[in-house]
Each structure stands twice: as C-alpha cells, then as structure tokens.
C-alpha cells in the first residue's frame, strides 16, 4: 500500500514537473478538464473526495482554482449537459466561469444549475489538495500557506514532494516551514530511528499546541527506543506551554476586566459620584449598541465605502443618544427622588423595563447583526498566545475612555463643579453653582459614557434588547468593590476582578468561578464596607 | 329640499342602525373556537418565542380562510407570560378557565413547560409543545411536537463519528436541565460506543455567558491531542453569538474542530456574520433551505404574512405547523373540541410535514420526524449534509440511561406515561416529581 502510494507520489512529482513545463506551451489540458468534469459526475461525499484526488493526480497547479471554488461552494453542474462551472454572482441569473482558466463563458439561470454539495470532510480534502498543488507556486506567500497546510496534515506519503520542494526553495521562511512539515511527516513514517529523533527535535523547537499534538500522535505509534525522546520532547513543549498559559490567563483577565471597566465606568459616575442607584444603566449600554447598529445600517445602504468607519462615527452619536436619554431621565424622574434610594431603585428599574420593551417593539426581539470592521477581526500570534484584535482594541479603548473621563473630572470646569456639588451641595450652591443643572449634566455624562461602552460591546456580544441586563450586576459589583466615588477604584476593581475570574475559570469552571468571585466580594465588603479605595473626609458623612 | 335631506338622513341612520345590530347579533351568535397561544413576548425568551406567536397567528388565519373548524371560526387568544416561569402557570390557568380555550400552543424552555404541567393536568386541557427537549417525560395532556434526544442528539453524534471520524468529544452546554440531561444521555451513549472517558469533557457555562476566551482556548487545547475532536453544543440562547464569534476569532475552523449545535437555528444565526462559521453543524428536523414544494409555499406565506422578505423560518415553527394541523384533524375526527375526546383522537393522526414526509402522532405523545444535519452556509442558512432515510419515532424515555431504559409511555393501550416494563406497573405521578425545582434559570 505504502509502496503504491510512494510510486503515485513519485509519478505525481514527475508529472508536475512536466506539467509545469508544458503549461505555458499548451494552454489546455484534456486530462485536467476530464478530472474536473468528474467533480460534477458523482454523488456522495466519498466519491467527490475521490474525484478531488484525481484532480490532484493531474498535478496541474491550475486545478487549484476549481478546488478553491469548490470549498467555497461556488462550483455548479449544468443540469442539461453535466458540465462543471465556477459560478459568480447572486440572484436568479448567474455568471459562469471556466473552471480551468476562470474566464467568463456566459450566464445561466439558477434553476438550470445544481450546486456541487460539499461538507467538512470534502473541504478538508480540498485544503490538503491545494497544499499539494501549490507547493511549487511562484508566489512565496502561496508556497508558505501550502507548507502550513502540510504541517497541519502530516502525511508520510508526501515526503518526496516536500523534499523536491525543499531542493528548489529559496525563501528562508518557507524553507523553515517545509522543514517542519518534513519533520512532521517523518515522525509518522517508518523511517529509521536516528532520522526520527532529529525530526522530533525540530518539532520540539517549533513548540505550541500543534507540536504537542504531533508528538502525542507520534508517541502512540513509537517503539521503546523512540518513546524516551518523544516523552522528553513532550515534557519540554508542555512546560513552555504552561508558562504561556499563565500569560494567556493574564491577558484574558485584562480583556474581561476592560469589558467590566467599560460597562461600569458610566455607573461609577451616576452611582459612584452622584449616589443614584441607576438600574437603567444597562439599557444605556444597549442604546449605544443599537445606535451602532443604526449607523452601520445607514453606512451599508448609503455609504458602503465608509463601512469600516462606522464604529468611530457611532461613538459620538451613541454618546449623544444615551446622554440625551439620561438627561431626560434625570429631569423627568430622578430629580424628584434624591435622597430616597429605594424609590430611585424602583423607578429606574421601571424605566429600564420601558426602554427594553420600546427597543423590542421598534427593532424586534431578535438579535441584530453588527459586523466587525476588518481591523477588529481575526487574531495574531504572540509566541504561543493568540490575541484577538477585537479584544485588544477593547482593552485600548477602555483605557482611553478612562483617561478621558479622568481628565474631564479633574481638569475641566464641569468636572470641578461636579466634584464641588457631590462633596458639599449647599456650599456649592452658595458659591453660585446651579446644582440641579450640574446634576442633570453629570447624569447625562454617566449615561453617555455607558452609550460609548455599548459601541464597544456590540463587537463582542449580542445586540438585543437584553444586552444591558447581562452587565448591570457586574457593573454594580465593580463599582462597589472598587470603592464608591473613586474612578481609580473602578479601574483597579474591574481589572482585578477580571483577572481573578480568569484564573479561577480553568480550575473551577465558568459557573463555580463566578460564584467564588461573588463570595469573595461579599466577604471583602464585610471587611471593608467602602470598597478598595474608600473616600475619606467630610463628603462621606453627608 | 329640506325634506329630502331629512329623508335621506333617516334612511342613512336606519341603514347604519340595522347594520350595527346585524353585526352585534352576528358576533353574539357566531360561536368561535378559541386557541390559546402561550409564548413570551417580552423578557429574555422573547427573542425566540415571538416568532412562534406570529407563526400560530398565521396558521389560525389560514385555517379560517379555509372555512374554520367544525363550521366555526377559530379565534386566537394571545397572552404574554414575559419569560417568567411562575407566570406561565398563571397565564395557562387564565387561558383555560377564563378564556375557555380548546387547546394551548406554547412554552419554549423546559422549565416553563414543567411549570404549566400541573395546571394542564388539573384542568384537563391540551398543550402542544414545539421545541426540542431533553425527553424523560410523557404527560397525558401534553403533545411533544419538537424532537426528543433520539431525534436530534444521537443521530448528530452518529454523523460526526461516521462522516468526520471524531474520536474526542467536548460536550459544551448552558447550565440548566436540557443540556445536563442531554449530555448525560450523550456521555453514556459515547461510553457505550467505546469512547474512552478521558476523550470526553463536559463543560457548563452560565446563562447569557459572554466571555468565551478561556472556554474556547480550552477546547483548542483539548483538540490538540492528535485525535479528531468535535464540540457538541447545547449552549442556549444569547450565549451562542459570543461563542461563535470567539471561535471565529481564535481561528477554529469547522474543518479542524466542527461544532454541532442543538439550539442554533436560522433565527439565532440572523445576529451573526456567518462567513467564518461555514461548515459548523446543527441538527434539526427542519431547515428553511429544505427544497420542496410544501416548504416553498410555507415560506412564501410566512413572508406575505409578516410583510418581511428577510424573516426566516425555523424548526419550532414547523413543529407548530405539524402540531396545529394534527389538532385540527383530531378535532374533525372527534367532531368536538372536548379535550378528552381530542386527546383520544390524536394518537395515530398523520399530517404532512414540511420536509416532504408524513409525521404521525405516536401513543407516547411524541411524533415521527426526519433528522437532518445541516452545515452553516455564508448566507446564514443551513445546507443539509445528511438526512435519515426514514422518519424517526420520538422516544420519551431514553434507552441510554439505566434509570429510564425500562420505562415506556403509551397513552392508548397502557394509559400510562411511565410504565415500568420490568415491574409491570404504572409508576404514575410519583416518578413525575422531576428536577424542575432545583433548576437554575436565566433570570
């Protein structure tokens, strides 16, 4: 079996070399055409996989185009004659492209075409096939991704192909990747021990989950003499991963903490500074998220070019919308209830229900889609740590919002008045400050900040009428834990709760982890009722 | 001139008077059959249940256009239990006692169903429950038109084993009764199939969980042990969107670690960009993308009824479609809406479903359905990759749990929802004390 496969692989290499030479001279290849026609002929996924194998066997890199389209679900069969096409466009009338050259060859009604159905196992075959077909491509980027696929799917039968590619390879990075792919294949092959041991070293130096996965696989089939080397390599990779997992927990904690900070920071003003138990705080966050949705919808329909800018554009609008609602709330409800915390709690709870149901009536109860702009999608690798862009942006954004708010409170005239009013209302009034006006503006500021938080949270959570409910308890927890009336307390409180949560989660699970954090906070509040950073001085007594 | 005007006025007044009296007498005389709709229109569950209310209104309207039922018009009575479980029981009582409805279509979460069970038993009315659930129940007054575990979870796992060659399993769920029971059944099933204990992890997260970084990293790590890994997700409701977003962001592709979900349908996907999710799976008994005439007609009617071309259809809607038509047929057969007669007439009733087959109500009050496995496409729809050849009969008591293996439900011959085949007796009410009380809920 292995022998036959090796022969096929060798044939394939000879063939691919030939094909590469003849490709320029001969524009069309009947073998490839015939192989591609096979994609539409058979029913059933296993037969489709075989048909893909036949395309690979032609060794023609141009076969990659149709395979790529196949995994995207863009390959159709014409019902009348069974011809296979790549199809582009949507709607009832589709454009047909030639499967080999990619040139337009006409159009057809959708009802005349039958999609070639693919599932995961077919997509996997396609990915491997494209890897094999593009190992000799001109573009080093394509070769790199081909090598990566080979690392992901080590196969002893592809060793010869890798060796040939290595001989020709000039790019250092691609060479490294190919060496790793080769090592992976060797470990699983039946080559002799010395070669395998050096391959194990290569894999060990590669590090990461993938290396671990490879080594564990190798270990299960290894003889006694190999086992020792594999075990040592596994231990070394594990150890390195452990250090990284520590870093990973810290990062996840900071990222959760920054989400908590964003959700709580508006409350740090309305509840922390003003002392209003604002149960409608979560709904301000929700309004911010819906504003983002509206902005994105308008961008999508009217200014598609600006779609990536929808978040920066939504920020001031969300601030204004939530701020305006907060202003109206303060003027309409809360100002009559100062000094009566229980009534405030009930009234704001009522307002929160009204806001929720209003949004539900206008936008419907289902989730709304807010897409991630390109700079907030995906992840990048930092050592063994994969950092997702949206989380990174949210951490940065939370810190910026915090900084701006701190500046506003300590360096602006409005901030000065706010602090004056909260510290000694009557004295501030005597100095000529319009305290009711300052109250309204403070509340609007807190609500507006919550609206801004909503813009960020729309990127990681559901945009639904229930969005706010999920954050209200966490927000109060953070503000109370950090110390009422202190912005720094909110920052430290949010980040430490986030990190604590993420360190508990791997051991205790998500449910218990959360319970532990709550129990800890209850105990902490018993010991220090005013939180981490308690306000001192006369303001506390009044 | 004046007289003519007065005369005209008189005539007009008279006409108006007779018209109104005719109308009032007509509405007083024409008796309607009332149908109760018990779905949350506010609160957390509104996201899923509002659609079902709309679907029921559409079905009732269509039935009236066809001439109603037993010569009478149907009238929908809509109440809002507001995602509040005890309120479900109150509203159910109101529907049956005050509004005198002939049958109720409603509930979504298992806890809401458990909370109305005593009401339906006491007042002897009929409930049609349209959602896939954990099984381990069969009540005289309840007809389960959603999937039992053997009509959803087990075939999905079989598919992953056979088609994808999965050897390692992550059972990820929200922490409440449906995922816990389903995972218990699945774990036992996998162990029976020879999967090693260390190749299974079971993991729960709270309702509305939104920070999935650690969980997804854990799945990634678990999946890198050299064996093909899959995630079986019973994650419910709002937690799904952040879960899928995190999967996409951390670069877990369906080709590497496929996720098969039991609570994610077209409606849930409407809130996400499905581009990065292509290939992840869901198991249901119906997909909007199912290609046949009955379904095309249903979707067209739905779009016309809601006036929105983008509204999707989903599995529980089909369950209501089947349940409603079964009820109509049974009432016609019984010739009355009296619950006792209709309950007796329902088992054996056959109606076409939307996937091209004919579903039958079984003596255990569950129905036969096809099981479809679909892969998520980039347009937010599912493409069917596997379909059972025959309809699967719903099994009330799972055969994979030792404590329920010996139980059988049969309301036709045995007149019992939990007949112990070993002790040869009906356990009756005592065994029905279900773990409903200890359950955690979303709010």
């Amino acid at each position: 079996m292995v022998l036959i496969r090796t022969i096929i692989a060798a044939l394939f290499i000879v063939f691919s070399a030939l094909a590469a030479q003849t490709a320029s001279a001969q524009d069309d290849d009947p073998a490839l055409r015939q192989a591609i026609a096979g994609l539409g002929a058979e029913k059933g996924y296993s037969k489709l996989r075989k048909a893909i194998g036949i395309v690979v066997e032609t060794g023609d890199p141009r076969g990659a185009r149709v395979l790529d389209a196949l995994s995207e679900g863009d390959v159709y069969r014409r019902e009348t004659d069974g011809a296979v096409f790549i199809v582009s466009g949507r709607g009832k009338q589709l454009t047909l492209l030639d499967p080999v050259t990619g040139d337009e060859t006409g159009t057809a009604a959708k009802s005349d075409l039958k999609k070639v159905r693919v599932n995961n196992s077919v997509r996997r075959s396609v990915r491997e096939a494209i890897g094999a077909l593009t190992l000799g491509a001109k573009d080093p980027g394509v070769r790199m991704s081909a090598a990566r696929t080979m690392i992901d799917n080590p196969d002893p039968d592809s060793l010869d192909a890798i060796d040939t590619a290595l001989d020709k390879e000039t790019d250092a990075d691609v060479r490294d990747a190919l060496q790793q792919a080769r090592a992976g294949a060797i470990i699983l092959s039946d080559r002799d021990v010395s070669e395998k041991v050096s391959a194990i070293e290569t894999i060990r130096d590669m590090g990461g989950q993938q290396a671990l996965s490879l080594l564990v696989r190798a270990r299960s089939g290894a003889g006694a003499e190999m086992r020792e080397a594999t075990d040592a390599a596994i231990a070394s990779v594990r150890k390195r991963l452990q250090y990284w997992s520590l870093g990973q927990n810290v990062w996840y904690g900071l990222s959760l903490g920054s989400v908590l900070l964003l959700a709580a920071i508006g409350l740090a003003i309305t509840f922390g500074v003003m002392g209003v138990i604002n149960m409608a705080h979560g709904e301000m966050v929700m309004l911010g998220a819906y504003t983002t949705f509206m902005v994105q919808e308008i961008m999508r329909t009217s200014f598609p070019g600006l779609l990536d800018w929808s978040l920066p554009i939504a920020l001031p609008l969300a601030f204004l919308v939530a701020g305006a609602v907060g202003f109206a709330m303060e003027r309409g409800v809360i100002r009559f209830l100062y000094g009566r915390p229980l009534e405030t709690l009930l009234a704001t709870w009522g307002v929160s229900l009204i806001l929720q149901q209003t949004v539900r009536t206008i936008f419907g109860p289902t989730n709304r889609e807010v897409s991630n702009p390109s700079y907030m999608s995906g992840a990048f690798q930092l050592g063994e740590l994969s950092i997702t862009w949206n989380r990174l942006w949210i951490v940065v954004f939370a810190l910026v919002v915090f900084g701006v708010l701190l500046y506003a409170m300590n360096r602006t005239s409005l901030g000065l008045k706010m602090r004056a009013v909260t510290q000694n209302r009557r004295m501030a009034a005597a100095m000529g400050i319009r305290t009711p006006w300052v109250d309204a503006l403070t509340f609007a500021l807190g609500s507006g900040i919550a609206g801004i938080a909503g813009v960020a949270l729309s990127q990681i959570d559901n945009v639904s009428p229930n969005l706010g409910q999920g954050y209200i308890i966490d927000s109060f927890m953070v503000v109370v834990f950090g110390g009422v009336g202190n912005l720094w307390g909110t920052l430290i409180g949010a980040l430490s709760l986030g990190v604590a949560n993420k360190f508990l989660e791997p051991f205790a699970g998500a449910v218990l982890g959360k319970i532990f954090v709550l129990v800890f906070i209850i105990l902490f509040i018993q010991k220090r009722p005013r939180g981490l950073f308690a306000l001192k001085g006369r303001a506390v007594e009044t | 001139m004046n007289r003519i005007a007065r005369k005209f006025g008189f005539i007009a007044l008279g006409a108006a008077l007779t018209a109104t009296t005719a109308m009032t007498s007509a509405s007083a005389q024409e008796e309607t059959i009332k149908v109760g709709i018990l779905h949350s229109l506010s609160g957390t569950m509104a996201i899923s249940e509002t659609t079902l209310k709309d679907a029921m209104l559409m079905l009732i309207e269509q039935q009236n256009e066809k001439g109603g039922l037993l010569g009478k018009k149907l009238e929908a009575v809509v109440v809002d239990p507001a995602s509040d479980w005890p309120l479900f029981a109150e509203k159910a009582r109101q529907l049956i006692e005050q509004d005198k409805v002939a049958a109720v279509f409603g509930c979504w979460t298992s806890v809401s169903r458990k909370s109305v069970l005593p009401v339906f038993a006491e007042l002897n009315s009929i409930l049609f429950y349209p959602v896939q659930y954990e099984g381990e129940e069969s009540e005289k007054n309840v007809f389960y038109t959603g999937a039992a575990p053997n009509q959803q979870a087990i075939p999905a796992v079989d598919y992953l084993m056979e088609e994808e060659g999965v050897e390692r399993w992550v059972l990820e769920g929200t922490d409440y009764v449906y995922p816990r029971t389903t995972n218990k059944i699945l774990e036992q099933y996998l162990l029976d199939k020879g999967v090693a204990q260390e190749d299974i992890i079971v993991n729960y997260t709270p309702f509305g969980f939104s920070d999935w970084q650690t969980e997804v990293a854990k799945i990634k790590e678990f999946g890198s042990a050299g064996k093909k890994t899959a995630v079986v997700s019973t994650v419910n409701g709002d937690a799904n969107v952040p879960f899928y977003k995190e999967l996409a962001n951390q670069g877990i592709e369906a080709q590497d670690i496929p996720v098969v979900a039991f609570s994610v349908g077209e409606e849930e996907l409407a809130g996400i960009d499905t581009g990065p999710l292509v290939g992840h799976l869901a198991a249901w008994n119906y997909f909007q993308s199912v290609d046949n005439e009955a379904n095309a007609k249903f979707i067209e009617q739905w779009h016309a009824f809601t006036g929105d071309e983008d509204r999707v259809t989903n599995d529980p809607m089909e369950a209501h479609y089947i349940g409603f038509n079964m009820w109509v047929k049974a009432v016609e057969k019984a010739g009355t809406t009296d619950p006792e007669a209709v309950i007796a007439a329902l088992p054996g009733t056959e109606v076409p479903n939307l996937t091209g087959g004919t579903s039958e109500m079984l003596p255990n009050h569950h129905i036969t359905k096809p099981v479809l496995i679909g892969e998520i496409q980039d347009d937010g729809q599912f493409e069917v990759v596997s379909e059972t050849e025959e309809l699967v009969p719903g099994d009330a008591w799972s055969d994979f749990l030792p404590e329920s293996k010996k139980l059988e439900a049969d309301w036709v011959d045995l007149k019992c929802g939990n007949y112990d085949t070993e002790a040869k007796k009906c356990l009756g009410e005592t065994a029905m004390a279900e773990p409903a009380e200890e359950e955690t809920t979303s709010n």
Side-chain angles (χ1 to χ4, degrees):
Chain A
M1 184 64 198
V2 176
L3 187 71
I4 296 171
R5 279 205 183 178
T6 332
I7 292 170
I8 291 176
L11 272 178
F12 149 63
I13 291 150
V14 173
F15 212 101
S16 66
L18 278 175
Q21 279 169 358
T22 52
S24 50
Q26 195 184 345
D27 205 37
D28 220 59
D29 185 351
L32 180 64
R33 288 228 173 253
Q34 202 183 348
I36 288 174
L39 292 176
E42 305 281 5
K43 278 205 163 171
Y45 300 121
S46 58
K47 287 185 182 146
L48 185 56
R49 285 203 298 274
K50 267 192 205 122
I52 292 169
I54 295 171
V55 174
V56 176
E57 275 168 36
T58 65
D60 194 327
R62 288 173 303 171
R65 182 197 305 274
V66 70
L67 293 183
D68 202 25
L70 180 67
S71 76
E72 298 284 323
D74 288 338
V75 173
Y76 285 70
R77 188 170 63 93
R78 191 155 60 194
E79 295 275 37
T80 45
D81 57 354
V84 172
F85 293 99
I86 302 174
V87 158
S88 78
R90 282 206 169 154
K92 291 210 161 65
Q93 201 70 14
L94 301 170
T95 312
L96 302 177
L97 308 177
D98 185 272
V100 178
T101 59
D103 298 331
E104 272 190 39
T105 57
T107 59
K110 196 173 180 185
S111 48
D112 293 339
L113 296 167
K114 187 99 184 151
K115 187 173 175 178
V116 178
R117 300 215 298 199
V118 292
N119 69 354
N120 281 327
S121 62
V122 173
R123 280 193 207 97
R124 220 161 22 239
S125 311
V126 167
R127 199 169 60 177
E128 285 161 29
I130 290 178
L133 282 177
T134 53
L135 214 48
K138 281 204 189 79
D139 180 5
V142 176
R143 291 204 305 272
M144 189 69 187
S145 70
R148 288 252 166 78
T149 327
M150 301 217 118
I151 299 177
D152 287 341
N153 310 284
D155 179 4
D157 299 334
S158 57
L159 265 175
D160 296 310
I162 297 175
D163 281 335
T164 329
L166 261 175
D167 285 342
K168 285 190 292 187
E169 190 54 68
T170 48
D171 189 292
D173 289 338
V174 182
R175 268 194 86 84
D176 284 348
L178 280 172
Q179 288 288 6
Q180 289 169 352
R182 184 168 181 275
I186 283 180
I187 286 184
L188 300 177
S189 72
D190 43 11
R191 302 230 173 161
D192 59 295
V193 177
S194 62
E195 221 174 325
K196 277 192 177 179
V197 170
S198 78
I200 285 175
E201 274 164 24
T202 314
I203 297 293
R204 188 195 62 202
D205 295 340
M206 184 173 104
Q209 299 280 0
Q210 209 157 31
L212 191 62
S213 154
L214 257 173
L215 290 170
V216 172
R217 254 174 90 176
R219 192 186 179 281
S220 61
E225 70 275 29
M226 285 284 301
R227 194 153 285 177
E228 207 173 308
T230 328
D231 281 344
I234 290 178
S236 131
V237 172
R238 281 237 165 94
K239 198 165 173 193
R240 205 156 47 160
L241 275 179
Q242 241 156 34
Y243 288 126
W244 278 107
S245 90
L246 198 73
Q248 176 175 297
N249 279 342
V250 172
W251 164 248
Y252 287 171
L254 286 180
S255 129
L256 174 64
S258 64
V259 170
L260 288 176
L261 176 66
L262 268 179
I265 197 162
L267 196 72
I269 299 198
T270 51
F271 174 58
V273 177
M274 294 178 74
V276 174
I277 301 181
N278 181 13
M279 296 301 284
H281 173 71
E283 276 57 48
M284 300 298 155
V285 178
M286 175 194 74
L287 286 180
Y290 271 94
T291 310
T292 319
F293 165 72
M294 288 294 290
V295 168
Q296 226 176 45
E297 277 307 288
I298 294 169
M299 294 291 148
R300 214 189 297 273
T301 50
S302 310
F303 315 97
L306 285 172
L307 196 57
D308 260 1
W309 289 96
S310 53
L311 292 192
I313 294 168
L315 278 179
L317 290 173
F319 183 84
L320 287 179
V321 169
V325 173
F327 187 84
M329 234 176 102
E330 204 276 344
R331 286 290 85 185
V333 181
I334 292 170
R335 70 172 164 142
F336 304 110
L337 300 171
Y338 281 122
R340 289 152 68 188
L342 199 62
E343 281 93 329
T344 318
L345 188 148
L346 290 176
T348 51
W349 171 244
V351 170
S352 94
L353 289 181
I354 293 171
L355 286 174
Q356 267 182 45
Q357 202 60 26
T358 311
V359 168
R360 195 170 281 134
T361 316
I362 298 173
F363 294 96
T366 46
N367 288 337
R368 290 295 168 168
E369 180 183 339
V370 175
S371 63
N372 294 11
S374 54
Y375 50 86
M376 283 186 85
S377 315
F380 68 95
Q381 208 69 23
L382 189 80
E384 292 308 321
L385 195 62
S386 102
I387 293 179
T388 51
W389 280 107
N390 62 356
R391 296 279 175 177
L392 183 67
W393 276 110
I394 285 174
V395 172
V396 172
F397 181 66
L399 293 177
V400 169
V401 170
F402 178 79
V404 169
L405 196 60
L406 206 61
Y407 177 83
M409 291 297 283
N410 291 334
R411 293 274 184 276
T412 64
S413 134
L414 178 66
L416 183 68
K417 288 176 186 163
M418 276 179 206
R419 283 179 294 136
V421 170
T422 45
Q423 278 172 22
N424 194 327
R425 179 174 294 271
R426 288 168 66 194
M427 183 65 87
M431 301 295 281
I433 296 174
R434 287 172 63 190
T435 56
W437 189 242
V438 170
D439 283 336
L441 284 184
T442 313
F443 200 85
L445 176 69
S447 303
I449 298 282
I452 286 186
V455 177
L457 294 183
S458 74
Q459 291 299 303
I460 53 169
D461 209 338
N462 297 290
V463 179
S464 77
N466 305 327
L467 171 72
Q469 283 185 328
Y471 291 100
I472 185 77
I473 295 179
D474 286 343
S475 305
F476 270 104
M477 206 166 77
V478 166
V479 175
V480 171
F481 176 67
V484 172
N486 191 320
L487 282 182
W488 283 103
T490 308
L491 175 75
I492 305 293
L495 293 186
S496 51
L497 284 183
V499 173
N501 211 329
K502 284 296 164 189
F503 268 91
L504 281 171
E505 216 180 289
F507 307 107
V511 182
L512 261 185
K514 198 150 191 188
I515 294 175
F516 283 148
V517 168
L518 277 173
V519 169
F520 165 73
I521 288 180
I522 293 170
L523 293 178
F524 183 84
I525 296 295
Q526 297 296 318
K527 195 81 193 150
R528 295 189 61 152
R530 288 182 190 281
L532 274 179
F533 297 86
L535 273 189
K536 294 186 180 69
R538 208 180 300 178
V540 179
E541 270 75 53
T542 51
Chain B
M1 175 76 192
N2 205 356
R3 267 170 66 182
I4 295 170
R6 199 181 286 169
K7 205 171 185 180
F8 261 94
F10 231 57
I11 292 166
L13 190 69
L17 261 175
T18 44
T20 46
T21 47
M23 264 164 67
T24 47
S25 65
S27 59
Q29 275 162 17
E30 191 192 348
E31 232 183 287
T32 57
I33 296 175
K34 288 183 177 168
V35 179
I37 301 174
L38 184 66
H39 283 300
S40 301
L41 310 179
S42 54
T44 13
M45 290 313 296
I47 179 172
S48 310
E49 294 191 56
T50 312
T51 315
L52 289 185
K53 181 221 48 172
D54 293 339
M56 277 310 298
L57 290 180
M58 177 178 88
L59 291 170
I60 290 171
E61 188 185 288
Q62 284 173 0
Q63 187 64 32
N64 281 338
E65 277 165 20
K66 279 189 260 174
L69 185 59
L70 302 178
K72 297 174 191 166
K73 291 272 177 214
L74 293 176
E75 184 189 341
V77 184
V78 181
V79 289
D80 177 17
S83 313
D84 178 359
W85 321 135
L87 198 58
F88 267 90
E90 260 173 60
K91 291 285 174 189
R93 187 173 287 280
Q94 179 195 327
L95 281 175
I96 303 167
E97 281 188 335
Q98 284 179 23
D99 297 318
K100 308 253 183 273
V101 296
V104 177
F105 292 78
C107 296
W108 182 288
T109 59
S110 285
V111 51
S112 67
R113 185 188 71 249
K114 297 273 188 200
S115 103
V116 301
L117 287 185
V119 179
F120 279 91
E122 180 199 329
L123 303 174
N124 198 19
S125 186
I126 303 173
L127 171 70
F128 281 88
Y129 177 66
V131 184
Q132 104 285 6
Y133 83 120
E134 67 278 4
E136 308 298 291
E137 185 182 298
S138 176
E139 288 277 328
K140 182 190 164 199
N141 302 88
V142 183
F143 291 87
Y144 307 83
T145 51
N150 74 317
Q151 291 173 308
Q152 192 185 26
I154 302 276
V157 166
D158 283 341
Y159 172 82
L160 285 178
M161 267 186 187
E162 282 153 25
E163 265 297 317
E164 302 258 355
V166 174
E167 297 170 68
R168 250 164 112 78
W169 302 84
V170 181
L171 307 182
E172 183 81 48
T174 301
D175 201 2
Y176 76 108
V177 62
Y178 165 65
R180 281 205 179 252
T181 317
T182 306
N183 285 343
K184 209 160 92 185
I185 295 171
L186 283 182
E187 197 177 358
Q188 193 55 49
Y189 180 74
L190 289 172
L191 291 174
D192 291 351
K193 281 262 174 179
V195 176
Q197 185 73 61
E198 73 259 21
D199 284 337
I200 305 173
I201 52 168
V202 188
N203 209 4
Y204 293 104
T205 49
F207 261 102
F209 193 61
S210 62
D211 196 277
W212 285 91
Q213 300 180 89
T214 315
E215 300 296 323
V216 170
K218 204 155 127 193
I219 291 170
K220 220 172 164 180
E221 195 192 323
F222 188 76
S224 62
K227 287 182 184 168
K228 178 81 189 165
T229 307
V231 179
V232 177
S233 155
T234 39
V235 174
N236 206 319
D238 283 359
N240 272 307
V241 174
F243 177 46
Y244 281 109
K245 277 191 177 170
E246 191 64 37
L247 280 176
N249 273 331
Q250 292 207 17
I252 293 189
E253 287 186 44
Q255 290 101 303
D256 305 317
I257 303 181
V259 178
V260 57
F262 302 149
S263 308
V264 176
E266 289 85 351
E267 195 96 324
E268 284 74 15
L269 288 184
I272 359 179
D273 169 22
T274 51
L277 302 181
V278 171
H280 286 307
L281 304 133
W284 289 105
N285 310 106
Y286 166 84
F287 287 112
Q288 183 178 352
S289 63
V290 167
D291 195 12
N292 68 40
E293 230 168 87
N295 188 34
K297 197 174 142 211
F298 182 74
I299 295 170
E300 198 183 305
Q301 287 167 342
W302 175 241
H303 286 165
F305 181 79
T306 54
D308 183 354
E309 287 285 313
D310 294 330
R311 281 291 284 271
V312 292
T313 58
N314 62 14
D315 181 270
M317 278 172 66
E318 193 226 10
H320 260 342
Y321 172 85
I322 297 171
F324 180 75
N325 287 335
M326 280 183 170
W327 177 74
V328 166
K329 237 179 158 176
V331 168
E332 280 168 353
K333 191 172 146 199
T336 166
T337 57
D338 174 55
E340 201 61 44
V342 176
I343 287 173
L346 265 166
T349 308
E350 287 185 355
V351 299
N353 56 31
L354 292 176
T355 46
T358 305
S359 287
E360 184 194 348
M361 177 59 74
L362 301 169
N364 64 4
H365 287 188
H366 290 64
I367 68 172
T368 58
K369 312 182 110 186
V371 184
L372 313 179
I373 316 277
E375 280 186 5
I376 298 175
Q377 301 296 303
D378 54 5
D379 57 356
Q381 289 288 334
F382 291 87
E383 186 162 297
V384 178
V385 291
S386 160
E387 182 174 358
T388 49
E389 276 170 25
E390 291 180 2
L391 300 193
V392 181
D395 187 12
W397 300 96
S398 173
D399 295 339
F400 302 103
L401 291 180
E403 63 269 27
S404 71
K405 199 154 58 179
K406 56 187 184 199
L407 295 180
E408 201 186 316
D410 185 342
W411 290 102
V412 176
D413 297 328
L414 300 171
K415 306 262 179 232
C416 180
N418 51 2
Y419 184 79
D420 191 330
T421 49
E422 283 170 13
K424 303 249 182 264
K425 64 169 188 178
C426 187
L427 298 180
E429 296 286 315
T430 46
M432 297 310 225
E434 287 287 337
E437 275 72 40
E438 67 191 45
E439 206 160 277
T440 52
T441 59
S442 61
N443 49 0

